[in-house]
Amino acid sequence: MAAPIEFYFDFSSPFGYLAATRIAPLAAQYGRSVVWRPFLLGAVFKVTGSGPLPSLPLKGPYSKRDMPRSARFLGVPFNFPDPFPISTQAPARAIYWVEEHAPERIEGAVLALYRAYFVDGRDISSPETTADVLASLGLDRAQILAAVGEPALKERLRNETQNAIDRGVFGSPYVVVDGEPFWGHDRLDQIERWPKTGGF
Amino acid sequence: MAAPIEFYFDFSSPFGYLAATRIAPLAAQYGRSVVWRPFLLGAVFKVTGSGPLPSLPLKGPYSKRDMPRSARFLGVPFNFPDPFPISTQAPARAIYWVEEHAPERIEGAVLALYRAYFVDGRDISSPETTADVLASLGLDRAQILAAVGEPALKERLRNETQNAIDRGVFGSPYVVVDGEPFWGHDRLDQIERWPKTGGF
């Protein structure tokens, strides 16, 4: 069994969303699974001194045009959300809950949360909204809502975010294939060729 | 006759080099020419507060891996140069000389200078080296060497760099197709579809 593809992302990342819609089918072509690794991009920005793309001078106005255009290019539904960016502790912790309690539902859970924010404009920074979205998939709303406020999941997300930083993750999406790192939805074409040729 | 494709770039930009190898054939598919617009990325970094990719925390080590990998992915020869980055006044001014005196040679001149730096490791920040490279294409070495030190070309490059900033250019390559801006060699796939569909 080939190694899984590791997918690091923040739930407030438009390009994380775009790549998330593609990564599992891409991995499946090679009989690979995806390890979903939500982390807090805000903690990374403290290390890099960077900030959310739309807030940067010059790059900001461009990115507000590039993001929906890139979505249209890929044929993925996208509505620029307001508020943006949002805190993503709640959905990120909830995904680690899903990993522990219903691991076979994790891809569906990631995509449902991303769509709730980037298509339907729902503010998933709210633990209630995150729990509502996952309940619509048949997951246990009350358990999730309780768990995301408890110390165990808080510590899990802190540790995962630190692990990501220690590994050099500086943006979202950040994908690792057989030890090779790829940053950005615009490296999906390279990611797709990498396992086919054993690197290039 | 459809509008030309505007190609903004800095001669010290690895992704500018990669895109430069593709842009003219891409434009030709649509019966379009390329307007080559070298500018000084250093002046832009003063506005954006950014810096050369390889010098940034975390992004730096990644980019040193991503740049040659992206070149291999595209099948373009690439050797990471030393020194890097370099001042690019000399080659940028020389391209505006070519535009004025031998406009039909401009694509060849851009590619020859880029290859001299990113394939052969020649330091094109030197006016002598820039003039040598262009002389190898049959252009007038003495005239170019004199012109790049004169006020007219200095002012031309200053104006072109300011025009780029005023237009919102914040990186290299930056490509404008029918008024639509695209940043990065990784938007070549979008650039290729844009004129075909009249936008998307």
Side-chain angles (χ1 to χ4, degrees):
Chain A
M1 181 70 185
I5 289 179
E6 295 161 281
F7 187 78
Y8 292 90
F9 65 104
D10 183 293
F11 270 110
S12 198
S13 161
F15 292 120
Y17 159 60
L18 296 185
T21 67
R22 298 297 170 100
I23 194 69
L26 190 159
Q29 288 180 43
Y30 302 104
R32 305 209 187 198
S33 59
V34 175
V35 176
W36 302 89
R37 282 288 169 266
F39 71 98
L40 299 180
L41 198 51
V44 169
F45 287 155
K46 283 183 192 156
V47 178
T48 61
S50 191
L53 250 184
S55 72
L56 302 180
L58 297 177
K59 283 188 189 176
Y62 171 78
S63 74
K64 300 268 281 194
R65 188 167 188 142
D66 181 50
M67 288 165 176
R69 185 181 65 204
S70 293
R72 293 192 305 272
F73 183 73
L74 293 175
V76 174
F78 180 87
N79 298 301
F80 202 88
D82 180 24
F84 177 90
I86 53 169
S87 303
T88 54
Q89 279 87 348
R93 289 177 196 154
I95 287 303
Y96 288 114
W97 183 92
V98 174
E99 186 186 71
E100 288 168 28
H101 295 87
E104 74 288 357
R105 314 293 297 277
I106 195 165
E107 180 194 353
V110 169
L111 295 179
L113 286 165
Y114 257 142
R115 278 190 213 109
Y117 185 47
F118 284 112
V119 182
D120 303 328
R122 297 172 70 186
D123 182 356
I124 57 171
S125 70
S126 145
E128 286 76 13
T129 304
T130 279
D132 284 344
V133 171
L134 296 179
S136 75
L137 304 177
L139 295 164
D140 189 316
R141 186 182 192 287
Q143 274 195 42
I144 291 168
L145 195 50
V148 299
E150 280 166 14
L153 278 181
K154 290 183 181 179
E155 194 185 340
R156 175 81 195 270
L157 179 57
R158 261 198 308 273
N159 290 342
E160 293 288 355
T161 298
Q162 190 57 52
N163 289 346
I165 292 171
D166 293 346
R167 198 167 184 181
V169 174
F170 55 79
S172 167
Y174 189 97
V175 184
V176 183
V177 185
D178 298 336
E180 184 75 11
F182 298 88
W183 171 45
H185 92 287
D186 38 32
R187 290 296 177 276
L188 283 170
D189 51 358
Q190 295 192 24
I191 292 170
E192 184 155 20
R193 196 192 293 172
W194 194 262
K196 198 176 297 180
T197 50
F200 49 79
Chain B
M1 182 66 184
I5 288 177
E6 296 161 279
F7 187 78
Y8 291 90
F9 65 102
D10 183 293
F11 271 110
S12 199
S13 161
F15 292 118
Y17 159 59
L18 296 185
T21 67
R22 298 297 170 100
I23 195 68
L26 190 159
Q29 289 180 42
Y30 302 105
R32 304 207 186 200
S33 59
V34 175
V35 176
W36 302 89
R37 282 289 169 265
F39 71 98
L40 299 180
L41 198 49
V44 170
F45 288 154
K46 282 183 193 157
V47 177
T48 60
S50 191
L53 250 184
S55 73
L56 302 181
L58 297 176
K59 283 188 190 178
Y62 170 79
S63 75
K64 301 268 281 197
R65 187 167 189 143
D66 181 50
M67 289 164 174
R69 185 182 64 204
S70 294
R72 294 194 303 273
F73 182 73
L74 293 174
V76 174
F78 180 87
N79 297 302
F80 202 89
D82 180 23
F84 176 90
I86 54 169
S87 302
T88 54
Q89 279 87 349
R93 289 177 196 155
I95 287 303
Y96 288 114
W97 183 92
V98 174
E99 187 187 69
E100 288 168 27
H101 295 87
E104 74 289 357
R105 312 294 297 276
I106 195 165
E107 180 193 353
V110 169
L111 294 178
L113 286 165
Y114 257 143
R115 278 191 213 110
Y117 185 47
F118 284 111
V119 182
D120 303 328
R122 297 172 70 185
D123 183 357
I124 57 171
S125 70
S126 146
E128 286 77 13
T129 304
T130 279
D132 285 344
V133 171
L134 296 179
S136 75
L137 303 177
L139 295 164
D140 189 314
R141 186 183 191 287
Q143 274 194 41
I144 291 168
L145 196 50
V148 299
E150 281 166 13
L153 279 181
K154 290 182 181 180
E155 193 184 340
R156 174 82 194 270
L157 179 57
R158 260 198 308 274
N159 290 342
E160 293 288 356
T161 297
Q162 189 57 52
N163 289 345
I165 292 172
D166 293 345
R167 198 166 184 181
V169 173
F170 55 80
S172 167
Y174 189 97
V175 185
V176 183
V177 185
D178 298 334
E180 183 74 11
F182 297 89
W183 171 45
H185 91 288
D186 38 33
R187 289 296 177 278
L188 283 170
D189 51 359
Q190 295 192 24
I191 292 169
E192 185 156 18
R193 195 191 294 172
W194 193 262
K196 198 176 298 180
T197 50
F200 50 79

